[in-house]
């Protein structure tokens, strides 16, 4: 799930709306039901479900999420290459649209239109999902104003959802197992003083700089980071890096740790990555990271809060306010963090 903050809205132009979907989701959907919500005439949360999944549960969940995001209306886009020209398939899709409309209506959201397309690609034909007879072609997704804005913001767009998932997927299970042994050996029982927390934060800053310079982290450095993130003072301070001048370097560090660390230490890196992505408006990466974090630990408070905020369409600027706590903690510990940057420009 992702949210669009761009003022231009293609809601009344199906070809433009379908073309904008990859930029909002972060990937090109296949075999998917995409629900574009709106309120006050502006695009809101964009939700997706697999057509191959349990549709009864998916439709109910989509309707609840749409309502919680404050949606007044919604537009459905069915992306399915199978069954093109199949009369029975067309009837099944009309049934699906009717079912979705009923679920949305039960949540106070009106389904205003629906479109079916075999693929989200320039020139692909779309037709009305409820049998109204309207047809047209999809605009060029690469030329969508939302796609252009996403690229200018530094977001990468993926051809498939699986490529986005790979950003946080464990890279080497054997190496992660070796790291687990090292982390457990390093976890000597000691008093976690403010001085130790301060040193660990400074170590994290140095590791981000090292990684940004093209030098991979050693296993000892990685093990120390894993243990440091288990300290609430360290972890909560490091959330502030998402709004600092070197946010990009910090996010790269969290992504690296997400792929390399074993459970249970991996979860904190995933949540830091999700927070960083969310703060800069990258809902797709934030969502993928939170899904992985909640699979590691379903009761993680910060992950649960961010997941709920993302699903309800809370704007990134509201999430950035949480970073103030990190700067306050840094001041209490005597740590100098990178200065806050002005959003609207890319992080360094």
């Amino acid at each position: 799930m992702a949210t669009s903050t761009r003022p231009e809205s293609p809601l009344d132009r199906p070809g433009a709306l379908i073309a904008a979907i990859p930029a909002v989701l972060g990937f090109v959907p296949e075999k998917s039901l995409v629900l574009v919500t709106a309120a006050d005439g502006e695009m809101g949360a964009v939700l997706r479900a697999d057509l191959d999944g349990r549709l009864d549960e998916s439709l109910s969940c989509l309707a609840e999420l749409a309502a919680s995001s404050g949606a007044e209306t919604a537009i459905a886009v069915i992306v399915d290459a199978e069954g093109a020209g199949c009369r029975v398939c067309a009837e099944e899709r009309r049934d699906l649209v009717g079912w979705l409309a009923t679920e949305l209506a039960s949540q106070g959201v009106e389904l205003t239109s629906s479109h079916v397309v075999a693929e989200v690609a320039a020139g692909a034909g779309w037709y009305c999902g409820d049998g109204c007879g309207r047809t047209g072609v999809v605009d060029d997704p690469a030329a969508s104003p939302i796609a252009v804005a996403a690229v200018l913001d530094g977001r990468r767009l993926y051809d498939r959802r699986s490529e986005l998932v790979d950003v946080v997927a464990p890279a080497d299970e054997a190496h992660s197992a070796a790291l687990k042994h090292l982390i457990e050996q390093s976890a000597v029982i000691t008093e976690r003083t403010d001085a130790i927390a301060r040193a660990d934060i400074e170590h994290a800053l140095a590791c981000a700089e090292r990684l940004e310079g093209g030098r991979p982290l050693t296993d000892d450095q990685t093990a120390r980071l894993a243990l440091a993130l288990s300290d609430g003072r360290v972890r909560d301070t490091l959330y502030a890096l998402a709004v600092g001048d070197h946010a990009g370097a910090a996010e790269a560090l969290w992504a690296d740790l997400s792929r390399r660390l074993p459970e249970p230490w991996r979860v904190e890196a995933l949540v830091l990555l999700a927070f960083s992505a969310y703060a800069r408006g990258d809902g797709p990466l934030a969502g993928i990271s939170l899904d992985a974090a909640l699979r590691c630990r379903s009761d993680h408070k910060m992950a649960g809060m961010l997941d709920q905020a993302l699903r309800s369409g809370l704007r990134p600027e509201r999430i950035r306010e949480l970073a103030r706590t990190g700067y306050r903690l840094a001041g209490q510990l005597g740590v100098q963090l990178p200065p806050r940057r002005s959003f609207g420009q890319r992080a360094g």
Side-chain angles (χ1 to χ4, degrees):
M1 194 283 293
T3 58
S4 169
T5 59
R6 300 296 171 191
E8 183 177 352
S9 171
L11 292 171
D12 297 324
R13 296 176 291 130
L17 176 72
I18 296 169
I21 287 174
V24 181
L25 291 178
F27 58 91
V28 181
E30 299 175 329
K31 200 73 174 175
S32 299
L33 170 61
V34 180
L35 191 67
V36 181
T37 69
D40 299 322
E42 294 187 357
M43 186 186 295
V46 177
L47 313 169
R48 189 199 71 89
D50 291 325
L51 286 178
D52 290 333
R54 285 284 304 276
L55 281 178
D56 53 345
E57 296 178 358
S58 296
L59 296 187
S60 177
C61 181
L62 287 178
E64 291 176 3
L65 291 174
S68 67
S69 72
E72 299 168 351
T73 61
I75 299 171
V77 177
I78 298 172
V79 185
D80 189 4
E82 296 181 7
C86 167
R87 182 182 299 274
V88 174
C89 296
E91 292 175 354
E92 290 176 348
R93 287 163 182 160
R94 282 197 292 272
D95 290 342
L96 173 59
V97 170
W99 190 2
L100 175 61
T102 299
E103 290 287 348
L104 287 168
S106 71
Q107 297 289 337
V109 180
E110 178 188 3
L111 183 66
T112 57
S113 58
S114 60
H115 316 298
V116 179
V117 65
E119 60 177 341
V120 181
W126 62 265
Y127 64 88
C128 183
D130 60 7
C132 72
R134 292 183 64 197
T135 62
V137 296
V138 178
D139 294 357
D140 184 358
S144 163
I146 296 178
V148 172
V151 172
L152 290 176
D153 283 344
R155 278 181 49 195
R156 178 182 170 186
L157 304 183
Y158 297 84
D159 289 335
R160 291 177 174 80
R161 185 175 185 272
S162 60
E163 295 180 5
L164 179 57
V165 172
D166 286 343
V167 174
V168 299
D172 186 335
E173 292 186 5
H175 189 208
S176 292
L179 274 174
K180 181 176 182 179
H181 181 66
L182 179 59
I183 295 168
E184 290 172 342
Q185 282 188 322
S186 303
V188 294
I189 299 176
T190 184
E191 182 185 357
R192 293 288 304 180
T193 63
D194 285 353
I196 291 176
R198 180 168 57 249
D200 281 342
I201 294 168
E202 292 169 347
H203 173 69
L205 295 173
C207 285
E209 183 177 354
R210 176 187 175 94
L211 203 61
E212 186 180 33
R215 294 173 294 162
L217 302 183
T218 67
D219 286 352
D220 285 338
Q221 289 170 326
T222 303
R224 180 177 176 182
L225 281 169
L227 293 171
L229 296 182
S230 300
D231 185 325
R233 293 165 301 175
V234 175
R235 180 184 62 247
D236 292 349
T237 299
L238 293 175
Y239 281 117
L241 299 183
V243 298
D245 274 349
H246 298 287
E251 185 170 315
L253 175 61
W254 310 142
D256 182 68
L257 293 177
S258 295
R259 292 188 295 270
R260 296 176 61 216
L261 285 178
E263 297 182 20
W265 300 279
R266 178 175 179 248
V267 66
E268 301 301 347
L270 284 165
V271 180
L272 281 161
L273 175 60
F275 183 83
S276 180
Y278 198 160
R280 65 178 174 82
D282 191 341
L285 179 55
I288 290 294
S289 303
L290 290 170
D291 284 346
L294 290 169
R295 284 197 300 272
C296 289
R297 185 177 157 194
S298 61
D299 64 345
H300 192 287
K301 291 183 179 179
M302 186 63 162
M305 185 200 71
L306 290 175
D307 185 61
Q308 181 59 39
L310 187 64
R311 289 175 180 274
S312 64
L314 190 69
R315 301 292 187 184
E317 54 266 28
R318 296 288 302 277
I319 290 299
R320 292 176 205 142
E321 295 174 4
L322 299 175
R324 294 178 181 176
T325 299
Y327 277 97
R328 187 179 71 250
L329 289 172
Q332 293 173 355
L333 292 169
V335 179
Q336 183 68 42
L337 296 181
R340 295 189 65 160
R341 70 182 180 94
S342 298
F343 277 80
Q345 63 186 46
R346 289 187 60 185

